[in-house]
Amino acid sequence: MSSERAIQVSIIIVNYHEEQFLVPLLESLQKYEAALSREVLILDNQSRTPVPALLQNKFEHVTVLPQSGNEGFGRTNNTGMRLAKGKYLLLMNPDMLLESSCIS
């Protein structure tokens, strides 16, 4: 049996030209939901400034998935949901911020 906890929530964020909002969003997730078993999938639809893979090193549970083109919001969310491993799915916009432990 694996010692790693099962992923409870997969948070899917589609990014297109909203890079400036990602760090504050990820910081709010880290602050308010540190104990939540989660994965964060950031799907980048070829933004002007590609989302750096460095986010994966700075923030726990983050996976950056560059897309080959701008497939649109709905299709890219569907891609994220297919890749997600969590029991529950949460679709978030990059410009959102948590102000409490509302997910858990």
Side-chain angles (χ1 to χ4, degrees):
M1 181 180 231
S2 173
S3 63
E4 191 173 316
R5 293 188 308 174
I7 296 170
Q8 189 172 12
V9 178
S10 293
I11 299 169
I12 299 162
I13 303 166
V14 173
N15 181 64
Y16 183 66
H17 302 315
E18 302 292 342
E19 311 67 55
Q20 72 274 19
F21 296 116
L22 288 172
V23 170
L25 168 58
L26 295 172
E27 286 173 342
S28 73
L29 282 167
Q30 199 169 46
K31 178 178 179 180
Y32 291 110
E33 296 294 357
L36 181 67
S37 173
R38 69 188 183 282
E39 69 175 344
V40 179
L41 304 176
I42 299 174
L43 292 93
D44 185 51
N45 275 342
Q46 286 196 327
S47 296
R48 291 178 291 258
T49 306
V51 175
L54 295 174
L55 288 177
Q56 293 177 173
N57 296 329
K58 183 176 180 179
F59 296 100
E60 222 176 325
H61 313 294
V62 171
T63 302
V64 177
L65 302 166
Q67 302 301 291
S68 60
N70 182 6
E71 296 292 328
F73 184 74
R75 180 172 283 170
T76 306
N77 269 313
N78 287 336
T79 299
M81 288 186 281
R82 279 192 300 277
L83 297 171
K85 298 177 184 127
K87 180 177 179 181
Y88 301 102
L89 303 175
L90 174 61
L91 307 179
M92 293 186 77
N93 289 333
D95 61 348
M96 296 175 76
L97 290 175
L98 297 184
E99 294 182 352
S100 67
S101 299
C102 57
I103 298 171
S104 55

